[in-house]
Amino acid sequence: MSKKILVVDDDGLVLVTLKRLLKGVGYETVLARNGAEAIKKIRRKNCDLIITDIRMPELNGIETIERIREFLRTTQRNPIPELVITAYDTEENLKKIRELKVASLLIKPFDMRELLSCVERRIEKKE
């Protein structure tokens, strides 16, 4: 069974690109255009990794991670590693990401091989 990755980004081009890239190497993707949608999808599906942008409407990526973690805790589901992708790397956001101990951080624009390498490392550590 292929590993399932939740991709959260308000940029449709990023969603389509990551879906194509991840599917090409054998991963199943679940797409969400914002944090609220991501939380709804996590409630219904088990995922092996979350890839999220930081700057999004409604809930930003940091708030999304915090709410998903809380949901997983309260429902006694296993934690899901997160890979944060952002072009909006303010000191405040980077500090919050470090405090959350997010599995990986990539700054846009990033190399697709680098992204795949991070994905593989995070999913292997989970097993």
Side-chain angles (χ1 to χ4, degrees):
M1 178 155 48
S2 66
K3 299 293 183 178
K4 196 176 299 180
I5 300 173
L6 172 63
V7 180
V8 189
D9 201 307
D10 61 322
D11 184 331
L13 181 59
V14 170
L15 289 177
V16 169
T17 301
L18 292 182
K19 179 178 182 171
R20 186 175 299 132
L21 176 73
L22 295 167
K23 183 178 181 183
V25 293
Y27 295 111
E28 182 182 339
T29 55
V30 177
L31 304 179
R33 289 188 166 272
N34 58 54
E37 190 177 326
I39 293 165
K40 288 178 187 171
K41 296 203 175 189
I42 284 292
R43 289 175 190 254
R44 296 192 310 262
K45 298 179 187 284
N46 287 322
C47 291
D48 300 288
L49 179 68
I50 298 167
I51 299 175
T52 186
D53 189 14
I54 290 292
R55 195 174 192 186
M56 297 182 291
E58 296 180 49
L59 296 175
N60 68 33
I62 292 167
E63 295 164 327
T64 300
I65 288 170
E66 290 171 335
R67 291 191 188 184
I68 288 173
R69 286 181 179 184
E70 181 61 26
F71 169 76
L72 295 173
R73 241 187 328 274
T74 59
T75 57
Q76 299 180 342
R77 287 172 52 185
N78 291 332
I80 302 169
E82 305 104 359
L83 167 56
V84 172
I85 55 175
T86 187
Y88 191 65
D89 56 341
T90 65
E91 276 306 311
E92 182 181 345
N93 282 339
L94 293 175
K95 181 179 181 225
K96 287 179 184 177
I97 291 166
R98 282 191 299 272
E99 288 170 357
L100 284 172
K101 297 181 177 150
V102 169
S104 294
L105 169 68
L106 287 177
I107 305 298
K108 293 177 185 175
F110 50 80
D111 182 86
M112 292 301 179
R113 290 177 303 238
E114 183 181 11
L115 174 86
L116 287 175
S117 176
C118 282
V119 167
E120 289 168 10
R121 282 195 313 271
R122 294 304 140 221
I123 286 184
E124 285 175 15
K125 280 186 176 182
K126 190 171 185 251
E127 294 180 316

